[in-house]
Amino acid sequence: DHAKERKLPPEFDYASQALLYLPRKMPDVRDPGFSSKAADEIVQLLDHSQGRAFCLFTSYAQMKDLFERVRLRVSFPLLLQGTAPRSALLERFKNTEGAVLFATASFWQGVDVPGEQLSCVIVDRLPFAVPSDPVVAARVEALQDEGRNAFAEFQVPQAVLSLKQGFGRLIRTKTDRGVLALLDTRIQRMPYGKIFLESLPRYRVTYELTDVARFLDGEKAADPASPA
């Protein structure tokens, strides 16, 4: 209750170093056609980034499904969480040209890959915690018992923090550049999406793959949207 708080400005110039890509024409994440369209987007993004990407997922099932949908459509070396120890996968990613890592929660934080080797971070959906998780369920129940809004006070803030941590894998130095892609259109459609966007650094935003290609080629995106 007596803590002192201070918010310091970021040391990175996110508006010039990072581009946030939010595709408009994706199905809802609960739609049966989502995985197919997500695979199409990932393939196109990897072509533009020449691999050099983290594809981060909120579940092992989704990770494995998208890995299988993508692996025969690209020529880049693909790494899959669970096929080797975490440290070994990270070293392999750092030392393999054009590598792409498909991973879940443990790679959303505490992973440092500065430089061009990581030029794109793709997130399949907003990282809400699984409601059936015992700890999550207990916290939700406790808040509800107090008459509070568990979704607004706990689930959304936790997901915002997780998304920031996932996106934080990309910009690690003042010279890093890259694209952050979120394939979940709820950030654009749902009222709580504004909370996510306002919580992120001041990235430039685009809804067009052509801007992604220009940015990765070192050109200025054509009339990009205002920073998030």
Side-chain angles (χ1 to χ4, degrees):
D1 291 337
H2 304 290
K4 293 182 179 180
E5 297 183 5
R6 178 175 296 178
K7 183 177 180 180
L8 301 176
E11 62 176 309
F12 304 133
D13 182 5
Y14 289 108
S16 64
Q17 290 183 251
L19 181 67
L20 175 60
Y21 170 56
L22 304 173
R24 291 186 189 276
K25 297 182 180 180
M26 290 291 297
D28 185 273
V29 292
R30 295 158 292 192
D31 189 292
F34 175 79
S35 293
S36 176
K37 286 292 292 181
D40 292 343
E41 287 286 340
I42 291 172
V43 168
Q44 293 180 84
L45 285 163
L46 295 181
D47 283 342
H48 290 312
S49 67
Q50 291 299 292
R52 304 183 301 164
F54 276 4
C55 298
L56 301 178
F57 301 90
T58 55
S59 75
Y60 281 97
Q62 184 75 355
M63 175 190 73
K64 292 176 180 177
D65 180 32
L66 267 296
F67 178 84
E68 291 299 327
R69 290 174 184 268
V70 169
R71 69 184 182 90
L72 297 179
R73 298 174 60 184
V74 298
S75 58
F76 309 109
L78 301 188
L79 306 174
L80 179 67
Q81 183 178 345
T83 59
R86 181 176 182 269
S87 58
L89 283 174
L90 189 56
E91 282 305 306
R92 200 175 303 167
F93 178 87
K94 290 179 178 180
N95 296 307
T96 304
E97 184 177 354
V100 180
L101 175 66
F102 283 65
T104 59
S106 65
F107 281 89
W108 284 66
Q109 55 185 308
V111 176
D112 193 29
V113 186
E116 294 183 354
Q117 184 64 17
L118 179 59
S119 294
C120 186
V121 170
I122 305 169
V123 173
D124 70 325
R125 61 185 70 196
L126 295 172
F128 287 105
V130 180
S132 58
D133 179 280
V135 175
V136 174
R139 289 179 175 172
V140 168
E141 183 179 0
L143 287 168
Q144 290 174 339
D145 288 346
E146 295 176 7
R148 297 163 64 183
N149 186 329
F151 183 72
E153 294 186 45
F154 171 62
Q155 291 167 286
V156 168
Q158 288 293 312
V160 166
L161 179 60
S162 294
L163 183 64
K164 291 174 72 173
Q165 289 174 328
F167 279 175
R169 300 313 93 216
L170 185 65
I171 304 300
R172 310 301 296 170
T173 73
K174 292 182 179 180
T175 57
D176 283 352
R177 294 179 79 255
V179 170
L180 306 154
L182 177 63
L183 308 184
D184 189 341
T185 58
R186 288 179 295 178
I187 199 171
Q188 304 171 58
R189 296 184 291 104
M190 303 301 288
Y192 57 75
K194 186 177 180 181
I195 300 173
F196 282 88
L197 289 173
E198 291 179 347
S199 300
L200 293 172
R202 301 285 290 176
Y203 305 127
R204 279 188 295 165
V205 182
T206 186
Y207 308 97
E208 305 296 335
L209 270 170
T210 51
D211 285 338
V212 171
R214 290 190 184 97
F215 183 86
L216 289 169
D217 286 340
E219 301 175 25
K220 186 177 179 181
D223 192 25
S226 299

